[in-house]
Amino acid sequence: MQDEKNVRPDFAKLPEDSVFYQPEDRRSTREKLKDMNGKDKIAFIAEYYGINILVSVFLIGIVLFLILHFIFAKDIGLGILAVNTTQEASPADEDSFYTEFLEKNGVDLSKEEVSVNASLGVSPTAEDSVSQSNLQTIQTQLMAGAVDVFFADEDVLYSIGEFEYLADLNSYLPAEVIEKYEDDLVYVKGIESGKTYPVGIRLSADNDWIQKSGWYPNGAVVGIQDHAAHGELATALILEILGEE
């Protein structure tokens, strides 16, 4: 039985060899490919299966990315959050800035790395929408335990400290260091506990570490997150910054 085809009327505008007037090809895909040359096979596959192939390649790519990410991803050995930096590219933004410090303190750089966030800014009044959003981000990171060492200007650090996100430095720094830097300590009164304690140490603009970091031309204040996940390393970093290691 011959395949039926549309009859071409005499007044038709389409030519007689138009696909519209050709019999329907009822052969299987395998049979069609068998009779095609190489170029036609490629064109046929691209036309009928191109989208499926692209989707498959895309999904395979995502799966491979996730597998490689989890295989080679490093743990966070130290989390640093620096607020109100110059917002320019600075040496302390890069992992390599901390390599010597981490190695000196026994961190296996093949397994752990430093996490640095120096992109957030908060205005003095913190009334604008960007500052409000950044404050929420800061609080979220602190509540999630993603920060060990916290840098900021004094006003911001004081505000964060009042909400008791920052540790009592008496619990982290040696008593002789607390005594030595007594005049540079920033004290807060916790809103919930009512306790007054030091949460930060002022770092002057001529502090060697601050100058090398490129973050704070006018100096900054540094503190440690309350219940820091990497408290010993956070303490070691502050002692190094102070030149007391």
Side-chain angles (χ1 to χ4, degrees), residues 81 83 122 134-140 142 147 150-167 188-191 197 199 224-226:
L81 177 58
V83 180
V122 178
N134 286 345
L135 277 174
Q136 291 177 2
T137 300
I138 293 168
Q139 291 175 325
T140 299
L142 290 167
V147 179
F150 182 75
F151 293 89
D153 51 86
E154 189 165 339
D155 289 341
V156 172
L157 185 135
Y158 188 91
S159 298
I160 295 297
E162 279 189 316
F163 286 96
E164 303 184 46
Y165 290 117
L166 301 179
V188 299
K189 183 177 181 179
I191 292 176
Y197 54 95
V199 295
I224 298 175
Q225 177 177 333
D226 193 26

Side-chain angles (χ1 to χ4, degrees), residues 59-244:
L59 293 176
I60 291 172
I62 290 178
V63 172
L64 288 175
F65 170 80
L66 292 174
I67 291 173
L68 292 174
H69 173 75
F70 285 110
I71 289 177
F72 295 105
K74 298 180 181 180
D75 293 329
I76 301 301
L78 181 68
I80 297 175
L81 177 58
V83 180
N84 285 347
T85 64
T86 59
Q87 302 295 304
E88 299 176 356
S90 301
D93 295 344
E94 305 299 327
D95 292 349
S96 58
F97 184 79
Y98 308 91
T99 299
E100 183 178 348
F101 164 76
L102 295 174
E103 290 178 338
K104 184 170 64 176
N105 285 276
V107 176
D108 186 347
L109 297 180
S110 67
K111 298 180 179 179
E112 295 183 312
E113 61 184 354
V114 62
S115 170
V116 182
N117 184 345
S119 63
L120 300 176
V122 178
S123 67
T125 59
E127 294 178 351
D128 58 286
S129 59
V130 173
S131 293
Q132 289 293 323
S133 176
N134 286 345
L135 277 174
Q136 291 177 2
T137 300
I138 293 168
Q139 291 175 325
T140 299
Q141 291 192 25
L142 290 167
M143 287 189 291
V147 179
D148 295 303
V149 181
F150 182 75
F151 293 89
D153 51 86
E154 189 165 339
D155 289 341
V156 172
L157 185 135
Y158 188 91
S159 298
I160 295 297
E162 279 189 316
F163 286 96
E164 303 184 46
Y165 290 117
L166 301 179
D168 181 347
L169 292 181
N170 287 300
S171 301
Y172 285 86
L173 300 180
E176 60 270 21
V177 172
I178 293 292
E179 183 178 354
K180 180 177 179 179
Y181 292 91
E182 177 64 37
D183 292 340
D184 295 315
L185 296 177
V186 176
Y187 284 81
V188 299
K189 183 177 181 179
I191 292 176
E192 184 175 342
S193 68
K195 174 186 173 183
T196 299
Y197 54 95
V199 295
I201 296 182
R202 299 182 187 93
L203 304 172
S204 64
D206 59 1
N207 175 279
D208 186 57
W209 193 95
I210 286 293
Q211 289 184 343
K212 290 179 180 178
S213 74
W215 277 345
Y216 298 101
N218 299 316
V221 185
V222 62
I224 298 175
Q225 177 177 333
D226 193 26
H227 304 298
H230 310 97
E232 290 186 7
L233 203 55
T235 297
L237 180 59
I238 290 184
L239 291 177
E240 175 160 301
I241 292 171
L242 295 173
E244 301 289 342

Side-chain angles (χ1 to χ4, degrees), residues 51-64:
I51 294 179
N52 290 335
I53 292 173
L54 289 175
V55 171
S56 298
V57 170
F58 177 73
L59 293 176
I60 291 172
I62 290 178
V63 172
L64 288 175

